[in-house]
């Protein structure tokens, strides 16, 4: 095999890795308006599937013009108008109840109980824990496996 074929094969392999790497990287957005509609198709004339409040995190699965095809934590799919979303990290509680702790460890003092579907602003992450802030200003740590989002 000639040198140019080796180079071509290497470039093709790198391009394939780059494409597949971005295909598996999960990108999130959150609702930036007070309320936003998720629709069946990428048009405002399409059926409204559900309505989401500010901060709700969504995983982007596809882009089409000014629209994003998104998935929620339950796996439901729909389309949202991109200008209604932002990049402020949030999580949603997916467990029925989750403990909010003072530090990122199960032995840390309990500071609150989080309920399923509660929206939380993401402050940071550490070793399988997420530092979050509730709407009432209370902050703490929750096990990452109990929430979904950034």
């Amino acid at each position: 095999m000639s040198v140019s074929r080796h180079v071509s094969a290497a470039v093709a392999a790198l391009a394939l890795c780059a494409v597949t790497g971005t295909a598996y990287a999960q990108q999130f957005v959150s609702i930036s308006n007070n309320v936003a509609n998720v629709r069946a198709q990428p048009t405002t004339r399409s059926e409204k599937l559900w309505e989401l409040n500010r901060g709700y995190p969504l995983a982007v699965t596809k882009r089409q013009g000014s629209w994003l095809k998104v998935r929620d934590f339950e796996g439901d799919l729909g389309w949202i108008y991109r200008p209604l979303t932002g990049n402020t990290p949030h999580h949603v509680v997916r467990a029925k109840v989750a403990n909010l702790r003072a530090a990122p460890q199960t032995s840390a003092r309990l500071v609150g109980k989080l309920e399923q579907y509660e929206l939380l602003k993401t402050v940071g992450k550490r070793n399988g824990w997420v530092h979050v802030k509730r709407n009432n200003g209370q902050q703490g740590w929750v096990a990452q496996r109990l929430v979904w989002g950034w």
Side-chain angles (χ1 to χ4, degrees):
M1 189 182 269
S2 69
V3 172
S4 63
R5 284 190 185 207
H6 281 295
V7 171
S8 295
V11 169
L14 287 172
L16 180 61
C17 289
V19 169
T20 57
T22 56
Y24 290 106
Q26 192 161 10
Q27 180 196 356
F28 284 93
V29 294
S30 59
I31 304 301
S32 60
N33 275 23
N34 286 334
V35 176
N37 295 325
V38 177
R39 300 193 175 270
Q41 298 298 321
T43 173
T44 56
R45 292 180 300 279
S46 178
E47 172 192 4
K48 179 175 84 170
L49 298 176
W50 67 88
E51 190 177 274
L52 297 174
N53 295 323
R54 180 184 303 275
Y56 197 95
L58 296 163
V60 177
T61 63
K62 182 178 181 179
R63 295 175 179 274
Q64 183 174 315
S66 296
W67 289 85
L68 301 174
K69 188 170 187 179
V70 293
R71 180 175 41 83
D72 71 1
F73 83 97
E74 294 174 307
D76 297 324
L77 294 169
W79 291 89
I80 191 157
Y81 188 55
R82 172 67 176 118
L84 302 178
T85 67
N87 295 318
T88 303
H90 283 80
H91 277 80
V92 61
V93 178
R94 64 183 193 178
K96 289 203 185 285
V97 177
N99 291 327
L100 186 64
R101 299 199 175 269
Q105 53 195 25
T106 55
S107 60
R109 179 177 53 85
L110 187 66
V111 296
K113 293 278 188 183
L114 304 170
E115 295 183 19
Q116 191 173 34
Y117 307 115
E118 188 172 347
L119 293 175
L120 307 162
K121 186 171 184 181
T122 308
V123 179
K125 291 182 182 180
R126 186 185 320 155
N127 299 329
W129 290 82
V130 183
H131 187 199
V132 296
K133 183 177 182 179
R134 298 174 100 172
N135 285 339
N136 66 8
Q138 183 183 40
Q139 291 191 38
W141 293 85
V142 61
Q144 190 166 355
R145 63 183 169 74
L146 302 176
V147 294
W148 185 87
W150 256 270

